[in-house]
Amino acid sequence: MTKANSDEPVRGRPATRPFGGYDVIRSTHRDEELTLVDKGTPCGEYLRRFWQPLALASDVRDLPFAARLLGEDLVVFRTRAGRLGVLHKHCSHRGASLEFGQISDEGIRCGYHGWHYAADGRILDVPAETRPGSYAQRMCHGAYPVREYKGIVFAYLGPPGEQPEFPIYDFMDAAGEDCVPYCWPLDCNWLQVRENTQDPIHLTFLHSMFGIKQFGANLANAIPFIRAHETPLGQVTTSIRRLGDIYYVRINEMIMPNVARVPDALREGRAIPNNEANAVGTGSDTKALRYKRLLPSSHGMGLSMWVIPNDNENSMFFGWHHVPSDEPQSVRDERIRQVEHGQTKDRPYHERQRNPGDYDAIVSQGKIVARGNDKLTSADVGIGLYRHQLRSGIRAVAQNQRPKGLDVARTAPIPTFAYALVRPAPPTGSAEEEAARVQALEKEIVADLMAFRLPQTSRALEPA
Ligand code: FES
Ligand SMILES: [Fe+2]
């Protein structure tokens, strides 16, 4: 039996003998403390303490835009005067959806009986109410603070007295770089989506051997050395792979509670057109162009990625592709096409079976994963740390404390920690010697990372 809302994991039982299917007992424990997001749930209240993306600015033009965030139905709109508003979707009068309302100079007017709302929820007009000072004229409609930043609309759905400043991280405002917004919907719970970025081992399989090969064949069979570390903002998961005579070091970051940053992909380059300027290698003439960056940026950042719950069983990636401002449009379009391939279900089923992408691996786990069936390995160390930090943040909010991620110095821009670099990898004599060298390298890089001693330019992906 599942213990609803219990903190006690209910473990499943695996088969322990061949043809042991009958022996298996599946857990149904959904770890509701981490997965359920409605108002009043522990995780829902936690996520409400942070600004969350809910729409692309390009979807909020002359018509209202219906959105769903943390189980709440909302309408996002831009007044004719240009002010953004986020209101509860259902009209205060008798519930018609404001997505069918009329945009006005100051707000939005319900399309059913004309109640008129300002962007902050004040009721400007109740046309058919003849009693002056009636309740309807004195109340407000549900509204939330809203902020637009580089093509994404963010809202704060938490208690007004707890509203934090809108955070500006360094990757949001890097010189010489454009932020190209994206939104990818997934029809499953937010947590299994969020965990994907702290799971570097899947690059070797899903993205190199079995799936869409975004990282090229060079990552296939390259099992990385993986570690996870706490940062002031959340955590980083490091992975180091030997690719011939270089080590490829990736440092994925999680900014609590739900912002991930993944660094540039590195892949064999000769097949990538118009990408010569972003080559990396060992520095010799013959090898310099062997590896190239899939989405180069001044910070070495491929993507920033929020995962927001629309509700308990639907979620969305929101974020930016970080790309050089001077990149030709055709090159940019091709890079982004490669990155976005496999992130949605918009492909024929048989093609997804032959060539699965992130969407297929994440959503096929189920609507809400029963985590009592998980068998975490040492490669899942980043996921284990993330779950621990998430639970700590949820419990901090429940106890009226400030959770990690809010409790940082608000000096803009806030420095972050994701990174990618390569280092020369001369031959080693034994597996033990190789392991010792990789461990030492990882320690050295993490120490430099935490002390901000790594170069903050595109040179990060050139050999030291
Ligand atoms: S339902 Fe909106 S004004 Fe009546
Ligand atoms: Fe992936």
Side-chain angles (χ1 to χ4, degrees), residues 91 93-96 110 112-115:
C91 178
H93 178 217
R94 279 172 39 215
C110 178
Y112 202 4
H113 313 100
W115 284 38

Side-chain angles (χ1 to χ4, degrees), residues 22-38:
Y22 187 81
D23 301 338
V24 172
I25 296 176
R26 299 285 297 172
S27 165
T28 55
H29 178 70
R30 304 188 301 176
D31 207 343
E32 295 180 353
E33 184 179 27
L34 306 189
T35 53
L36 302 190
V37 297
D38 290 322

Side-chain angles (χ1 to χ4, degrees), residues 196-197 199 202-203 206-207 212 214-215 305 343 357-359 361-362:
N196 182 55
T197 41
D199 170 26
H202 86 272
L203 271 56
L206 185 71
H207 293 297
I212 48 187
Q214 284 156 315
F215 287 75
M305 316 177 86
Q343 300 297 344
D358 278 318
Y359 175 91
I362 295 167

